[in-house]
């Protein structure tokens, strides 16, 4: 299946050398990461060394070690350290993949992502990297250009899940793919396909609880076969949209006609140094500049050329297209949406049926 298809009728590592980080993450293939018996969608032998964990912590893409322990998938056999062929987390540990961090995931995870996992019956590793980019982009669009928290009913209007399978068996890793529903007028922007070895880029992280009332972070790790649910299906045309959704859809249509793309939405996050799928003390429309606490020490790229290289690893397109991206848009404390504090939209949309 292809994440760029639609159903018929993140953010990147950014630090002192963001493009160098991307080049080491994209297209790297360890000759020993895939076991002889592995099939598409299987876990692959861990290819992430401990030094990579340290780098991710130093750049702010993982919490500091003294707050949240992380470790590579390595085990000791007969006194020798070897890469594990599949995850086997200890109690309290969860499993994450580096390509998700490149596309906007942070810890603690955003409550909207936690709600989607619950609604769709997913583990984090069931999602493809392109799906993570779609979710991050949606959260960013809501906060930066619609002036509201991520809206669940709007999400269901725009996206659905499609299983990735072989011979009737849904993939264990990346078996659920987010697809845009055609004809909705959503912003353009096609995620680039990830290298085939991404199931080897996994690591362990201690669960990071969310504040009340959600409390738990990621679901406890489970390697059980993934099963498709009714919730994966597109929103039925017979279901009536509430007025919030109708209004927000009209806003998206206006933004699309003005030329805004998802590439530009994510470029804004990249420049600000904010991970859309990380729990944050305030939404992006309250972003206050370089000292904003939600950056967690991350920095934006140092030049337009660096930004273009990052965007080109995330989205399809020619370099000339990325040159026209304006990463300085979106709401902030200095450019607030006039109706965020009004009563038209309730401020929190993390309640899932």
């Amino acid at each position: 299946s292809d994440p760029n298809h639609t159903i018929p009728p993140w953010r990147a590592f950014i630090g002192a050398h963001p493009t160098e980080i991307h080049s080491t993450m994209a297209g790297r293939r360890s000759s020993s990461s895939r076991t002889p018996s592995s099939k598409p969608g299987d876990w692959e032998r861990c290819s992430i060394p401990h030094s990579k964990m340290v780098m991710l912590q130093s750049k702010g893409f993982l919490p500091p070690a003294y707050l949240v322990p992380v470790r590579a998938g390595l085990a000791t056999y007969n006194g020798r350290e070897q890469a594990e062929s599949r995850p086997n987390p200890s109690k309290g540990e969860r499993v994450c993949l580096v390509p998700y961090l490149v596309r906007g995931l942070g810890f603690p995870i955003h409550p909207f992502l936690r709600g989607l996992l619950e609604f769709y019956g997913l583990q984090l590793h069931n999602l493809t990297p392109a799906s993570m980019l779609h979710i991050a982009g949606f959260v960013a669009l809501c906060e930066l250009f619609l002036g509201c928290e991520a809206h669940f009913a709007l999400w269901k209007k725009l996206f659905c899940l499609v299983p990735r399978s072989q011979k009737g068996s849904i993939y264990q890793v990346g078996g659920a793919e987010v697809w845009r529903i055609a004809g909705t007028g959503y912003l353009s922007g096609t995620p680039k396909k990830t290298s085939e070895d991404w199931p080897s880029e996994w690591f362990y992280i201690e669960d990071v609880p969310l504040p009340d009332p959600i409390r738990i972070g990621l679901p406890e790790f489970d390697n059980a076969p993934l099963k498709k649910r009714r919730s994966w299906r597109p929103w039925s045309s017979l279901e009536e949209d509430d007025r919030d959704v109708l209004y927000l859809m009209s806003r998206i249509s206006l933004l699309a006609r003005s030329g805004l793309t998802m590439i530009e939405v994510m470029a804004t996050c990249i420049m600000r140094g904010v991970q859309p799928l990380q729990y944050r003390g305030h939404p992006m429309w309250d972003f206050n500049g370089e000292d904003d606490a939600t950056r967690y020490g991350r920095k934006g790229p140092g030049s337009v050329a660096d930004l273009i290289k990052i965007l080109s690893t995330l989205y399809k397109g020619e370099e000339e297209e990325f040159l026209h991206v304006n990463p300085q848009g979106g709401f902030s404390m200095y450019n607030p949406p006039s109706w965020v504090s009004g009563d038209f939209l309730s401020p929190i949309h993390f309640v899932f049926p």
Side-chain angles (χ1 to χ4, degrees):
S1 59
D2 188 338
N4 311 319
H5 286 199
T6 53
I7 298 298
W10 47 285
R11 153 77 220 231
F13 290 108
I14 300 159
H17 304 285
T19 52
E20 179 182 337
I21 296 171
H22 269 264
S23 64
T24 60
M25 286 293 104
R28 58 193 296 272
R29 159 59 81 184
S30 169
S31 59
S32 61
S33 64
R34 174 163 288 181
T35 57
S37 60
S38 66
K39 306 183 300 295
D42 284 352
W43 287 105
E44 296 183 14
R45 191 177 303 280
C46 180
S47 66
I48 301 298
H50 178 70
S51 59
K52 187 65 66 178
M53 301 289 93
V54 175
M55 183 274 290
L56 293 172
Q57 290 168 325
S58 68
K59 299 297 182 184
F61 293 95
L62 287 173
Y66 66 87
L67 290 178
V68 183
V70 298
R71 64 184 179 94
L74 302 172
T76 302
Y77 299 100
N78 298 324
R80 296 180 60 186
E81 199 173 64
Q82 298 181 17
E84 297 176 324
S85 59
R86 61 179 58 239
N88 183 27
S90 302
K91 183 176 176 61
E93 285 185 327
R94 302 295 186 262
V95 178
C96 184
L97 291 105
V98 171
Y100 296 161
L101 303 177
V102 177
R103 290 158 178 81
L105 180 66
F107 291 92
I109 64 168
H110 196 287
F112 184 76
L113 174 60
R114 182 64 180 86
L116 288 183
L117 295 176
E118 188 76 23
F119 178 70
Y120 291 128
L122 299 176
Q123 292 273 307
L124 188 68
H125 63 263
N126 294 143
L127 289 167
T128 63
S131 300
M132 200 64 66
L133 188 59
H134 275 309
I135 300 169
F138 175 79
V139 172
L141 173 65
C142 286
E143 294 189 20
L144 284 171
F145 293 92
L146 298 180
C148 66
E149 297 274 8
H151 194 292
F152 178 59
L154 179 64
W155 168 268
K156 289 200 301 177
K157 180 76 174 179
L158 296 167
F159 297 97
C160 67
L161 284 193
V162 174
R164 299 175 70 235
S165 60
Q166 188 175 62
K167 296 181 180 179
S169 179
I170 299 179
Y171 291 173
Q172 195 169 42
V173 186
E177 191 135 66
V178 171
W179 277 17
R180 293 193 303 263
I181 298 173
T184 60
Y186 194 63
L187 307 187
S188 63
T190 303
K192 181 173 283 188
K193 189 174 182 179
T194 315
S195 63
E196 292 183 0
D197 65 327
W198 75 270
S200 73
E201 299 176 15
W202 55 270
F203 61 92
Y204 301 112
I205 181 168
E206 288 284 336
D207 187 38
V208 187
L210 285 164
D212 289 339
I214 302 172
R215 293 191 295 276
I216 58 174
L218 288 171
E220 187 173 348
F221 181 77
D222 187 353
N223 234 349
L226 181 61
K227 295 182 179 179
K228 184 179 179 180
R229 289 189 176 191
R230 287 180 60 87
S231 59
W232 293 21
R233 298 177 181 178
W235 180 283
S236 171
S237 59
L238 299 177
E239 298 181 63
E240 187 175 347
D241 296 323
D242 62 32
R243 66 172 188 151
D244 282 9
V245 171
L246 292 172
Y247 178 77
L248 292 171
M249 290 292 288
S250 69
R251 291 277 301 169
I252 291 173
S253 180
L254 286 172
L255 290 168
R257 289 202 295 272
S258 74
L260 184 69
T261 66
M262 289 311 302
I263 299 171
E264 195 163 304
V265 172
M266 288 304 293
T268 302
C269 297
I270 292 170
M271 289 301 294
R272 293 187 183 189
V274 175
Q275 297 283 79
L277 295 183
Q278 180 173 34
Y279 174 81
R280 292 170 268 110
H282 56 258
M284 280 186 268
W285 68 71
D286 280 338
F287 182 80
N288 61 22
E290 290 185 4
D291 297 328
D292 192 276
T294 64
R295 301 181 79 190
Y296 294 97
R298 292 182 292 262
K299 298 179 181 179
S303 69
V304 173
D306 284 345
L307 175 63
I308 290 173
K309 288 180 180 179
I310 293 171
L311 293 174
S312 66
T313 66
L314 301 178
Y315 290 97
K316 287 187 174 182
E318 300 298 327
E319 191 170 303
E320 291 181 2
E321 298 177 53
F322 299 131
L323 278 171
H324 299 293
V325 167
N326 172 23
Q328 305 298 333
F331 297 132
S332 68
M333 181 177 289
Y334 309 105
N335 177 35
S338 59
W339 51 278
V340 166
S341 60
D343 58 4
F344 183 82
L345 290 169
S346 56
I348 301 297
H349 293 91
F350 296 146
V351 178
F352 291 75

